[in-house]
Amino acid sequence: PADLGGTTMIMAPRLTLSDARLVLDGAEKRAREIGVDMDIAVVDDGGHLLAFVRMDKARVTSIDVAINKAFTAACARRATHEYAAVAGAGGPAFGMHVSNQGRFMIVGGGLPIFVKGMIAGGVGCSSGSPEQDRDVAEAGIVNLLRVLEKEGA
């Protein structure tokens, strides 16, 4: 936080389109390696879509799911799979999945993107199993962080 004469402002990292493309590239590469075409979405820290790719055989019904997984991960600042146990039937947060106009996802495949310990956005992947979606999302983040590290950012 920066002190601006009594007002404290949080100075947060901001994903650029180039950053979002790095996430897409890493995720798409991993999806090809595991043989599952995916819908892949990258959002900023407010959950607003920055970039999206739908691989040739990805499910049309997974477009919104991928975007909403990214939204949930960025805005909640945690992975979507972490909500499965608590937000499912009988869980202490049951019903959470209908919050935010039904955009809140509790299925694995959405991961927050942290840069220097601060939220910068989220990535959501869909069309595989929750574990495959999560694996592909993680590969996208790893690709971004690798490049940022090389650049000294």
Side-chain angles (χ1 to χ4, degrees), residues 65 68-70 72-73 79-85 87 97 104-111 124-126 128-131 133-134:
V65 175
N68 290 335
K69 284 180 182 182
T72 301
T80 55
H81 71 272
E82 294 178 29
Y83 289 100
H97 62 284
F104 201 97
M105 290 283 125
I106 63 170
V107 178
L111 296 175
C125 298
S126 191
S129 69
E131 294 77 21
D133 294 350
R134 185 172 155 195

Side-chain angles (χ1 to χ4, degrees), residues 58-125:
R59 296 178 184 159
V60 173
T61 55
S62 290
I63 294 169
D64 285 340
V65 175
I67 294 168
N68 290 335
K69 284 180 182 182
F71 166 84
T72 301
C75 295
R77 275 82 167 134
R78 52 182 0 169
T80 55
H81 71 272
E82 294 178 29
Y83 289 100
V86 297
F94 178 67
M96 181 178 277
H97 62 284
V98 297
S99 69
N100 294 280
Q101 291 79 46
R103 295 190 69 191
F104 201 97
M105 290 283 125
I106 63 170
V107 178
L111 296 175
I113 300 171
F114 288 99
V115 176
K116 296 183 180 180
M118 300 190 76
I119 192 71
V123 56
C125 298

Side-chain angles (χ1 to χ4, degrees), residues 37-39 53-62 126-127:
D37 283 9
M38 296 263 177
D39 292 299
V53 66
R54 179 173 161 242
M55 297 173 70
D56 293 336
K57 297 176 188 161
R59 296 178 184 159
V60 173
T61 55
S62 290
S126 191
S127 282

